[in-house]
Amino acid sequence: MKDYNKKPQKAQKDGAEEQIAKKHRENAYSIHKSEDKPLELTNAYQYSQVLQLEHAVTNFMEYFNKIIQLSPNYKVYLENVDRPQETSVEILPAMLRHKLKCAAELASLNELGKLPLLEELNNYESKFSASDRKPILKDLKESDLDKMSASVNNEMVRHWNEVSRKAEEEEEEDGYEPEETKKKWPPKLPEIKNSAIKARVFIHKSMINDKLYLSEHDMIKAHNERLEFLGDSILNTTITMILYNKFPHLSEGQLSKLRMKLISNERLKKWSFLYKFNEKLRTNLDKTCENNDFKHGKQKLYADVFEAYIGGLIEDDPKHNLPKVRKWLSKLASPVIEEEFKKDDDLDVNEVDINAKKTLYSLIGYAALNLHYKPIQKPSSEDSNALVECRIKDGTVLGVGKGRNIKIAGMRAAQQVLQNKPLIEKYANLRAAVPRSDSVVKGPSGSKRSPPSDDGDDDSSASQQAKRANLGPGNDTSSNSRIVAMPDGSLAFN
């Protein structure tokens, strides 16, 4: 006889999953909850919380990828576990802890293609758009919203719906980066639809100077100088915004230097020839004479006509053409920017790792190695960069760093050493081979001193050495013992 009170197996499963989901919802956002009130717009995010979240996501991705790059797969891990006699002594303790196994399993899942989340996370930034409200991670569906706890009130949802709608309308017009990966060169020139404005772009002032029948107002409106003035301002602002948004880690000086390369007369002249503006320009200047103002001015009027064309686009249709100018100039400037970065060492967009020195010392540093940083060039009016060498006791230079000050240059020197894997392996093995008793520096009296810090500074203050001398093991001192200064500055018992 059937038991009609018994729920079908699928229904029981769905009920169990709902209970689990309900429990997760109850625990979700616990740091924000206060009683049962919905979260308000003002307290959904706190500033310090946002800073920590962004920092955590950045570190999460960096270290997740580092695990995949460094770790062997699980098969290799097991081979090492099964043959401990062939494993280095300094590595063996780590094999008994959980971290290497966890890393090996993650690397194996990635090798087998079973870790799609990592690929999604790596591509997250490129797929992100502030105007797109759909989830990017595949396992998160829009339908899941109904299962989540209310973390914001309805007013906030309506607010963000309105913001997103407006952003979607503007996104089509105001993008900076080209969407196509394979671009034709040169990028398509935006079109000036008003024929009168387009004609004025290519009329040089020399064509109007002898037209005495024109009033001053008519003369101003008949050539391209006003359009050049407008275009110069738009060009400067647009290139500034492109560089400012594209390179958040460049300093003001580096941005200014790069901008000058992009808006110089020589660069604009090349772009003008690229679009054959030189063939369209109408002028009364003699272009054939070798010693005239035209030659002495390095053909500046060709740079001017390029700016005039930008001004013509804005005068023709400012609302629709300004985003087009931004996209066009972004594509046009891209190879120039790439070229400048290759030949100019001052344009360094790599973020400085503030923990580079500590990381390096933790890998290879010990007292006898005397890892330290030697400034070899300070910033000056001739060269605004500092140079610092990362050295060891015998004077060997492990790496060199450049930066706008000594501190940053030192960090970059450590970063350069960290990128040299064979070098790191060599000195890490040397450190592992040094007996513990020999890994400290001894003074003339035989008393032990602490090893130098990661920047090579040796802590040898009298008070700390005296404290170590009094408290160190094996120091048999009588009541008449006293600490005296040695000729070399160290301390000893007398």
Side-chain angles (χ1 to χ4, degrees):
M1 184 176 179
K2 289 184 179 181
D3 185 1
Y4 291 99
N5 294 323
K6 186 177 181 180
K7 292 183 179 179
Q9 187 174 0
K10 185 177 184 303
Q12 287 183 336
K13 183 179 179 182
D14 292 343
E17 289 179 351
E18 177 59 30
Q19 288 298 321
I20 294 173
K22 182 179 178 181
K23 186 175 182 181
H24 286 174
R25 291 196 297 270
E26 290 172 353
N27 294 329
Y29 309 107
S30 57
I31 62 170
H32 302 303
K33 283 186 174 181
S34 58
E35 302 173 358
D36 294 326
K37 296 179 181 179
L39 234 57
E40 299 293 336
L41 178 60
T42 54
N43 63 7
Y45 284 105
Q46 300 297 324
Y47 181 62
S48 61
Q49 171 198 356
V50 169
L51 292 179
Q52 292 179 71
L53 277 172
E54 291 196 318
H55 183 69
V57 170
T58 301
N59 286 343
F60 172 73
M61 288 307 306
E62 179 184 347
Y63 287 114
F64 203 165
N65 281 296
K66 186 169 287 188
I67 289 171
I68 302 303
Q69 293 167 9
L70 295 178
S71 178
N73 61 32
Y74 195 55
K75 181 178 180 180
V76 178
Y77 169 80
L78 290 178
E79 289 175 354
N80 280 266
V81 170
D82 293 340
R83 292 183 288 184
Q85 66 278 6
E86 298 179 20
T87 304
S88 302
V89 175
E90 64 271 17
I91 297 176
L92 197 56
M95 303 297 293
L96 303 176
R97 298 190 286 266
H98 75 279
K99 296 170 185 175
L100 292 186
K101 182 178 180 182
C102 179
E105 290 187 29
L106 288 172
S108 300
L109 288 173
N110 183 66
E111 183 180 330
L112 296 170
K114 295 183 177 181
L115 205 60
L117 180 60
L118 177 61
E119 184 177 351
E120 288 184 58
L121 290 173
N122 279 327
N123 296 326
Y124 197 97
E125 184 176 0
S126 63
K127 294 182 178 180
F128 172 78
S129 170
S131 62
D132 188 356
R133 299 182 65 247
K134 293 181 180 179
I136 296 175
L137 299 180
K138 293 178 181 177
D139 287 340
L140 182 61
K141 309 295 182 185
E142 287 186 286
S143 58
D144 293 333
L145 290 174
D146 296 334
K147 303 175 185 177
M148 297 179 189
S149 58
S151 59
V152 293
N153 59 18
N154 291 332
E155 186 62 34
M156 182 178 179
V157 173
R158 285 194 294 272
H159 168 75
W160 282 111
N161 282 341
E162 181 64 17
V163 170
S164 296
R165 184 185 63 78
K166 290 181 179 178
E168 284 173 0
E169 291 175 356
E170 297 173 0
E171 179 68 20
E172 250 183 87
E173 301 176 353
D174 203 14
Y176 275 20
E177 296 298 327
E179 294 179 0
E180 298 175 1
T181 54
K182 295 182 180 178
K183 304 178 289 294
K184 294 180 180 179
W185 193 258
K188 185 178 179 181
L189 184 69
E191 182 184 357
I192 299 175
K193 295 180 180 179
N194 187 308
S195 57
I197 296 175
K198 188 173 183 178
R200 185 153 52 100
V201 166
F202 297 105
I203 298 177
H204 188 257
K205 186 178 181 180
S206 61
M207 293 288 294
I208 309 298
N209 286 339
D210 59 348
K211 304 297 188 292
L212 301 179
Y213 55 86
L214 295 176
S215 68
E216 185 176 352
H217 179 266
D218 290 337
M219 290 182 72
I220 289 174
K221 289 285 188 178
H223 57 76
N224 65 12
E225 278 195 351
R226 278 176 56 85
L227 293 177
E228 177 202 336
F229 169 80
L230 175 62
D232 175 71
S233 179
I234 297 296
L235 173 70
N236 190 65
T237 302
T238 302
I239 292 295
T240 298
M241 292 302 297
I242 290 171
L243 297 179
Y244 185 85
N245 291 325
K246 192 177 183 69
F247 304 109
H249 306 308
L250 286 185
S251 67
E252 177 270 340
Q254 290 172 315
L255 289 172
S256 296
K257 185 176 182 180
L258 187 53
R259 181 178 60 190
M260 286 304 299
K261 299 284 186 180
L262 294 168
I263 63 174
S264 68
N265 286 330
E266 190 62 27
R267 174 59 55 191
L268 299 185
K269 187 187 79 172
K270 289 180 180 179
W271 285 344
S272 187
F273 273 75
L274 189 64
Y275 291 99
K276 302 186 185 314
F277 287 174
N278 57 311
E279 297 177 6
K280 301 175 183 178
L281 181 63
R282 298 173 62 191
T283 174
N284 275 338
L285 296 176
D286 182 4
K287 304 177 186 177
T288 60
C289 181
E290 292 295 331
N291 297 315
N292 62 13
D293 294 337
F294 178 73
K295 291 292 183 183
H296 288 164
K298 296 182 180 179
Q299 304 176 2
K300 179 180 179 296
L301 77 170
Y302 291 138
D304 294 342
V305 74
F306 185 85
E307 293 175 334
Y309 193 89
I310 295 174
L313 285 166
I314 301 306
E315 184 166 314
D316 182 33
D317 188 351
K319 180 179 179 181
H320 293 99
N321 283 347
L322 182 57
K324 291 178 182 179
V325 168
R326 289 175 174 173
K327 291 180 182 180
W328 170 50
L329 290 178
S330 180
K331 295 177 185 179
L332 201 55
S334 182
V336 182
I337 294 171
E338 186 177 345
E339 178 187 345
E340 290 301 324
F341 272 106
K342 286 180 180 178
K343 67 182 184 182
D344 194 338
D345 293 335
D346 184 42
L347 296 173
D348 191 347
V349 294
N350 294 324
E351 259 192 294
V352 179
D353 181 2
I354 61 174
N355 295 315
K357 288 185 178 182
K358 291 181 180 179
T359 303
L360 181 61
Y361 194 84
S362 69
L363 292 173
I364 69 171
Y366 56 98
L369 185 67
N370 189 22
L371 188 68
H372 61 283
Y373 297 85
K374 178 72 175 178
I376 58 174
Q377 175 182 302
K378 293 183 179 180
S380 65
S381 56
E382 291 78 19
D383 191 342
S384 59
N385 289 303
L387 289 177
V388 172
E389 292 180 344
C390 176
R391 299 181 179 181
I392 57 176
K393 187 175 183 180
D394 63 4
T396 300
V397 178
L398 303 186
V400 181
K402 176 188 282 190
R404 62 179 179 270
N405 57 47
I406 296 292
K407 186 175 182 180
I408 291 176
M411 294 174 186
R412 287 210 169 109
Q415 281 180 258
Q416 188 185 83
V417 182
L418 287 169
Q419 292 168 2
N420 190 338
K421 293 183 179 180
L423 190 69
I424 293 292
E425 188 68 21
K426 171 186 173 181
Y427 284 99
N429 289 334
L430 287 175
R431 184 178 76 165
V434 175
R436 181 64 181 170
S437 58
D438 295 340
S439 64
V440 293
V441 178
K442 296 182 179 181
S445 64
S447 59
K448 295 181 179 179
R449 293 184 293 164
S450 64
S453 64
D454 65 323
D455 59 1
D457 294 333
D458 189 9
D459 181 9
S460 56
S461 65
S463 61
Q464 290 185 349
Q465 289 206 27
K467 184 178 180 180
R468 285 194 291 273
N470 282 322
L471 300 180
N475 287 328
D476 184 14
T477 59
S478 64
S479 59
N480 295 326
S481 296
R482 63 191 182 92
I483 298 172
V484 297
M486 302 297 288
D488 64 352
S490 62
L491 302 177
F493 281 103
N494 186 15

